[in-house]
Amino acid sequence: MSKLDRLDIKQLRIFQALMREKNASKVADQIGLTQQAVSEQLKKLRDVFEDRLFIRKANGFIATPFAESLSIKVDSILTEFQGLVSQTHFDPKTCHDTFVIAATDYAQQIVLPELISQLRTLAPHLKLIIRDFEIDKLNELMEKGKVNLAIAFPDFIPETYPLITLYEEQHVCVTSPNSSILEQEVSLESIAAFPNIIASPSRPNFKGSIDDWFKGFGLTRNVMISAPCFSVVPMYLKSCDSIAFLPAKAIEDLDLVTIPLNKSPDSFDVIAAWHPRYNDDALLNWITSLLKQQYLAGL
């Protein structure tokens, strides 16, 4: 049996207690052992380290030079072990970690600016990586720890992931102030037939998120342009005569006209989700608490 195999945490704790008290009976009372048990553990320590460690005197012990030097190392080891089993208080001001957020183009515009502002203020040493949301790779990235938090829509997230719903969003039909559709009597049929622009950030195609809603009315949209992100759609609307369905929060303060409809697509949730492996992660729990304060405080 190696020397390491003959050591255990209890022996190291007894050693440190003897260094502190220099008295076996006091140590026995503190740790809850008999004095004989303390003496037996001390004998094992002497055998392992091949040193007397403590020399008896009239009212206790005197540590040997080797024990004095060993105590510094043992104290460090016990501190590390204590950290493994203790729930230390998380202090964002002293956090030097790196946190990775995968977010849709929409979430990068609407959710992240305020969150980033809070993080820079409250956790000034925290490093952030914001990466585009990759629906086909999300689970792999999160399982490997390459993404800590995802901010997106529920349909994009594996069902087994914990999540919080931040708020409810609604698609609205918009166009530029100069669009010819504003001169027409608008109906769902005319909206579907008019040139549409969609944002398809996950996969480049002509399928939009509300196509199924139109199909419920027996209509197929005339999608002419598929853009890679929401942020460029307003510019495209102004460059060509077309319409688009965009999330309501994404068009605030933009020079676009909302086209009122007598029927609207179903609302949808904006959520933050994470892999179950991070359920007890102090940094993630703190960041999600900021999101809850930001969006759920009034509920």
Side-chain angles (χ1 to χ4, degrees):
M1 179 179 278
S2 69
K3 290 184 177 182
L4 185 60
D5 291 332
R6 291 154 58 194
L7 273 177
D8 61 37
I9 297 298
K10 181 186 292 185
Q11 291 168 355
L12 296 181
R13 290 180 60 228
I14 289 173
F15 171 79
Q16 287 300 80
L18 287 170
M19 286 294 302
R20 183 173 62 250
E21 301 294 341
K22 306 294 194 302
N23 185 290
S25 62
K26 288 183 180 180
V27 170
D29 290 339
Q30 288 179 7
I31 296 182
L33 296 174
T34 65
Q35 187 170 340
Q36 181 182 354
V38 171
S39 297
E40 290 174 354
Q41 295 299 332
L42 177 55
K43 182 180 183 301
K44 293 178 180 179
L45 286 167
R46 284 168 168 164
D47 290 341
V48 169
F49 292 110
E50 299 177 356
D51 187 89
R52 295 178 67 184
L53 299 177
F54 300 96
I55 301 171
R56 190 178 297 277
K57 65 175 186 173
N59 59 346
F61 296 124
I62 297 174
T64 67
F66 177 80
E68 293 282 0
S69 63
L70 181 65
S71 177
I72 298 172
K73 299 176 182 178
V74 171
D75 186 61
S76 176
I77 291 170
L78 290 177
T79 300
E80 291 291 330
F81 272 106
Q82 185 62 38
L84 291 176
V85 297
S86 300
Q87 289 188 346
T88 57
H89 173 69
F90 175 74
D91 184 0
K93 292 181 180 179
T94 61
C95 177
H96 286 75
D97 292 345
T98 297
F99 194 81
V100 184
I101 301 175
T104 60
D105 171 58
Y106 166 84
Q108 290 181 42
Q109 294 179 65
I110 308 304
V111 178
L112 290 188
E114 175 61 25
L115 178 62
I116 289 173
S117 175
Q118 291 188 64
L119 293 177
R120 293 298 304 129
T121 300
L122 300 175
H125 305 293
L126 176 67
K127 293 183 181 294
L128 290 173
I129 295 177
I130 311 300
R131 58 182 297 163
D132 287 332
F133 189 91
E134 298 177 82
I135 187 171
D136 295 327
K137 296 181 179 179
L138 179 67
N139 190 54
E140 177 187 353
L141 291 170
M142 298 192 89
E143 282 187 345
K144 292 181 177 180
K146 294 183 178 180
V147 170
N148 303 113
L149 184 68
I151 303 179
F153 311 121
D155 290 347
F156 294 172
I157 302 296
E159 293 182 358
T160 57
Y161 280 24
L163 61 83
I164 54 173
T165 300
L166 303 180
Y167 56 87
E168 190 176 74
E169 178 63 291
Q170 181 75 46
H171 278 113
V172 292
C173 185
V174 294
T175 191
S176 75
N178 301 317
S179 176
S180 64
I181 198 171
L182 298 175
E183 302 170 2
Q184 307 174 20
E185 184 175 341
V186 175
S187 64
L188 283 183
E189 289 78 10
S190 63
I191 289 291
F194 206 76
N196 275 236
I197 300 176
I198 66 166
S200 184
S202 301
R203 302 181 183 95
N205 56 38
F206 290 101
K207 181 174 175 55
S209 58
I210 61 169
D211 286 347
D212 291 339
W213 180 74
F214 272 98
K215 287 180 180 178
F217 299 99
L219 300 171
T220 300
R221 283 199 294 168
N222 179 25
V223 178
M224 300 302 295
I225 298 173
S226 176
C229 56
F230 286 104
S231 58
V232 298
V233 174
M235 292 180 282
Y236 295 168
L237 288 172
K238 294 176 183 179
S239 67
C240 60
D241 198 5
S242 54
I243 62 168
F245 281 80
L246 294 176
K249 291 183 181 294
I251 63 166
E252 294 177 1
D253 301 323
L254 296 179
D255 185 23
L256 295 174
V257 177
T258 300
I259 301 174
L261 302 174
N262 56 5
K263 296 183 179 65
S264 298
D266 294 336
S267 59
F268 58 96
D269 293 331
V270 178
I271 59 100
W274 57 94
H275 194 280
R277 66 183 293 189
Y278 292 112
N279 278 345
D280 299 318
D281 182 77
L283 176 55
L284 180 132
N285 289 336
W286 177 69
I287 290 177
T288 54
S289 74
L290 294 181
L291 288 169
K292 290 177 183 177
Q293 292 172 22
Q294 181 179 345
Y295 291 105
L296 308 180
L299 297 181

